[in-house]
Amino acid sequence: MKKIGRQVCLLATGENNPRNGEGAFIRLTDGRILYGFTEYIGDSWNDHAHARLSGVISADEGETWSPRRVLLECPADAKNIMSLSFLRMKNGDIGMFYIKKEQDGTDKLLLVRSSDEGENWSQPIACTDCLQQQDYYVLNNDRVIMLPTGRILFAAARHSVYPKPGKFLPGEVCFFISDDDGYTWRKTERELRLPFPDPDGLQEPGLFVLPDGKIWCYMRTGLGTQWRSCSEDNGESWCDPYPDRRFTSPRSPMLVKNLGNITAAVFNPIPHYPGRSPAEPWGRTPYTCAVSRDGGITFADADLFALEDDLSNGYCYPALLAGDGYFLCAYYHSMNTGVCLHAAVIKKIRLDEID
């Protein structure tokens, strides 16, 4: 498997900063690129530890990056804020979606808007006010999409909370829609579940619009492969989920995006097979990029490339951005710590590397 790309940025951890990652890119109106990410502050990298949203900017197509700055501080009534997605709104604002982890262990999915290219942010809009129950919701980074109609859509994994603190029931995927540029939201009726009992369920979903207008939902599982569902009515209803055996996978998320004339799927192929021991960093290794030449309909075996091939390290939670003749890919790198959720790496990949 050919290795592609070169590292252009490392958001290294350090004292009082044990974890950086789960970010997203957006192109600013002056041409610069903003990469926003979750910056953990304190001595713990745990998902529920203290974190804020920070960012770095490139003015030269990803070759060099500014010092980091805070985009949004964690409010006093939250454990943290994390896992952001950017979206250019219909009115020109930048929308930043993120998770707010409440003190009671539940999550809110929030949207803030910026009319000055990320310098200042509005008061948050709750994307999940339509819910009656308080559950644990997972909206991964770089996941919110806008359909050609202007409808905004994202998928989230809902985990009902056990009576025992810190324990959650298997994931069920639900869908949230806004038809007024993000100001109000509703949850669709259909939720996706595995057709049999499983401790993980369906987790960490993402969405991709196929050339015929169908929306493909891909979902992490503990069953050795990503699972798949599709919608033919702009996200209102979904078919029963089934295994997508093109994308073997441990318990790790995938990301699919259009990048100019290609479609890229970034994921960990499953590392467990006879004769090979599971790698230390949670099986999330190596890191691969599958390329589709027909808008995500097919992915040929010959178009599978390695972003990372050091099996002693783990890699996960990607973000992607298309450039002119290249694309950027950011993700967690364990950096020989044995912990996948560690430092953020940004790689620049020339499109001629995959010709």
Side-chain angles (χ1 to χ4, degrees), residues 6 23 31 64 158 169 182 237 318:
R6 59 185 173 86
T64 61
R158 180 176 65 83
L169 291 171
S237 61

Side-chain angles (χ1 to χ4, degrees), residues 2-16:
K2 179 183 177 182
K3 190 173 181 180
I4 57 174
R6 59 185 173 86
Q7 182 177 306
V8 291
C9 183
L10 170 63
L11 293 167
T13 60
E15 185 177 359
N16 204 42

Side-chain angles (χ1 to χ4, degrees), residues 8-31:
V8 291
C9 183
L10 170 63
L11 293 167
T13 60
E15 185 177 359
N16 204 42
N17 173 217
R19 171 177 167 183
N20 298 311
E22 274 165 289
F25 297 100
I26 192 164
R27 177 80 65 172
L28 304 179
T29 53
D30 63 5

Side-chain angles (χ1 to χ4, degrees), residues 48 91 115 132 143 151 180 245 321 334 339:
H48 298 271
N91 75 340
S115 59
Q132 301 298 316
R143 284 295 197 272
R151 169 172 286 185
D180 61 1
R245 302 195 185 282
L321 179 79
S334 62
V339 176

